[in-house]
Amino acid sequence: MKHVLRNGLMVLAMAVGSVTSATAQISVGVWLPGISIGINLPVYPELVAVPGYPVYYAPRMNSNYFFYDGMYWIYQSDNWYASSWYNGPWGRIGPEAVPVFLLRVPVRYYRAPPPYFRGWQADRPPRWDEHWGHEWNQRRRGWDQWDRRSAPPPAPLPTYQRQYSGTRYPPVEQQAVLQREKYKYQPRDAEVRQHYESQRQQQQLQQQQRQQQQQQEQQQQRQQRQQEAYQRQQQQQQRQRQQEEYQRQQQPSQQQRQQQPAPRPPEQDRGSPGKGSQGQYDKGPQSKGYDRDSPVPGQPRDRGQGQPGSGDPRK
């Protein structure tokens, strides 16, 4: 179900219109307060010329959406908004500054007419003089009187914008560049030219602000990189100082170890039968038939000497 919230909305009210086509669903919403307007047009809308008027309207949208003299126009919640791109951004236009050819569009081409349009003739323009009062009528005297044969031809539609839909919809700073490159038409209506130039200056201002913001971000990134490099340098210097301090602490202990005398090798026990001593004793006189107990070194012991009963068996 499609819901449309129309007149009678207060500061935080919202008017929402939607329509479904074969390709996409198009919805238009206006958020108050202030001059902010929110629109969600996923694709370029279908625009049809109003017969006998230099104005286009969007028959498939449940909103009062028009195109006139190179700009898009929408009437919601008793306010007019204009933009050079089909999905905004939008600027609010006061009742005294709305182009007369928009004011003259018959009631039947308002796809979401407000309640106070009821009872008005469908082939006649809305009764703006009754709605906006005597003061407005004095300023815009003659707005509903004109020769249809003198109506200017409708401006060409900026159909190049069809390729910029959904996520490809350009930001404000790119919109002005694309407009200059791809759409050579210049508004003829004095009021439209004023709105066009005002929006163009606003786009340039936003572009400058965006560039300044980018420059500030780049400067902040450079400062952050410089700070990180400085911190890395400080950390490296601190590690180097710690390493040098550690080396200085290690030098005295190394010198002390170098000054200490080398340890003496252990002496061998000469009394214990070692490998060499055992071999020396094995090669002593006893092995050659000598007796260690002989009173004369190197002489064989007399086996009969000093033993009773020893001697010459012949005696």
Side-chain angles (χ1 to χ4, degrees):
M1 179 181 293
K2 302 179 178 63
H3 299 281
V4 179
L5 300 179
R6 297 189 178 93
N7 194 31
L9 300 180
M10 302 303 292
V11 172
L12 296 178
M14 179 179 66
V16 178
S18 62
V19 64
T20 303
S21 63
T23 56
Q25 182 175 359
I26 300 175
S27 63
V28 176
V30 178
W31 286 264
L32 299 176
I35 62 173
S36 298
I37 179 173
I39 281 191
N40 179 21
L41 294 177
V43 295
Y44 190 84
E46 178 187 358
L47 296 172
V48 178
V50 178
Y53 295 80
V55 181
Y56 293 84
Y57 79 108
R60 293 182 176 273
M61 291 182 61
N62 196 5
S63 178
N64 306 315
Y65 192 98
F66 304 96
F67 178 84
Y68 168 66
D69 205 24
M71 297 189 71
Y72 303 89
W73 306 81
I74 185 171
Y75 182 67
Q76 289 279 6
S77 300
D78 205 22
N79 290 298
W80 282 95
Y81 300 90
S83 175
S84 58
W85 276 73
Y86 72 91
N87 200 24
W90 300 86
R92 181 175 173 178
I93 309 299
E96 67 281 354
V98 180
V100 292
F101 278 104
L102 283 174
L103 299 174
R104 294 166 179 168
V105 172
V107 170
R108 71 170 73 249
Y109 298 102
Y110 284 78
R111 309 309 297 170
Y116 49 85
F117 276 26
R118 294 175 183 173
W120 294 351
Q121 297 180 11
D123 58 346
R124 299 287 297 171
R127 300 175 184 176
W128 301 114
D129 51 350
E130 296 180 6
H131 179 67
W132 282 325
H134 177 73
E135 185 177 355
W136 179 88
N137 192 31
Q138 291 295 322
R139 294 181 179 180
R140 306 303 301 269
R141 185 180 298 273
W143 66 272
D144 58 344
Q145 301 174 3
W146 60 293
D147 187 359
R148 296 179 182 272
R149 294 174 299 180
S150 63
L157 291 172
T159 53
Y160 74 93
Q161 296 181 7
R162 285 194 180 121
Q163 58 184 315
Y164 301 100
S165 60
T167 57
R168 297 192 59 200
Y169 195 79
V172 175
E173 56 270 16
Q174 294 182 2
Q175 289 181 3
V177 177
L178 293 172
Q179 186 84 355
R180 289 193 300 267
E181 292 179 353
K182 299 180 179 296
Y183 192 64
K184 304 302 181 180
Y185 178 82
Q186 295 296 322
R188 292 189 295 260
D189 192 309
E191 292 173 339
V192 178
R193 282 199 306 268
Q194 182 179 358
H195 302 322
Y196 182 80
E197 291 298 329
S198 177
Q199 189 177 45
R200 189 173 180 180
Q201 292 175 3
Q202 185 179 4
Q203 291 175 347
Q204 292 176 355
L205 179 60
Q206 292 178 356
Q207 184 177 3
Q208 292 175 359
Q209 292 176 351
R210 177 60 178 171
Q211 291 176 354
Q212 292 176 357
Q213 183 179 359
Q214 291 178 351
Q215 291 176 358
Q216 291 177 357
E217 292 176 353
Q218 292 175 359
Q219 184 177 2
Q220 292 176 357
Q221 291 176 0
R222 287 195 299 267
Q223 292 177 353
Q224 184 177 1
R225 288 195 297 267
Q226 292 176 358
Q227 184 177 3
E228 292 176 353
Y230 175 77
Q231 292 177 354
R232 287 194 299 268
Q233 184 180 5
Q234 292 295 319
Q235 293 175 358
Q236 185 177 2
Q237 292 178 356
Q238 184 177 3
R239 287 194 298 268
Q240 185 176 359
R241 287 194 297 267
Q242 291 176 353
Q243 186 176 3
E244 293 175 354
E245 181 66 22
Y246 176 78
Q247 292 177 356
R248 283 195 299 269
Q249 293 176 1
Q250 294 299 320
Q251 285 179 358
S253 59
Q254 293 178 359
Q255 293 177 358
Q256 291 177 2
R257 287 197 299 268
Q258 292 176 359
Q259 292 175 359
Q260 290 179 358
R264 299 176 62 184
E267 297 182 358
Q268 295 182 357
D269 188 1
R270 296 181 179 180
S272 59
K275 182 177 180 179
S277 60
Q278 181 67 32
Q280 183 178 0
Y281 293 147
D282 292 343
K283 296 179 182 181
Q286 186 174 6
S287 61
K288 295 182 180 181
Y290 296 99
D291 190 353
R292 292 181 179 178
D293 296 331
S294 176
V296 180
Q299 296 293 329
R301 181 180 179 182
D302 188 359
R303 299 183 182 275
Q305 184 178 358
Q307 295 182 0
S310 64
D312 189 352
R314 293 177 298 181
K315 295 181 179 181

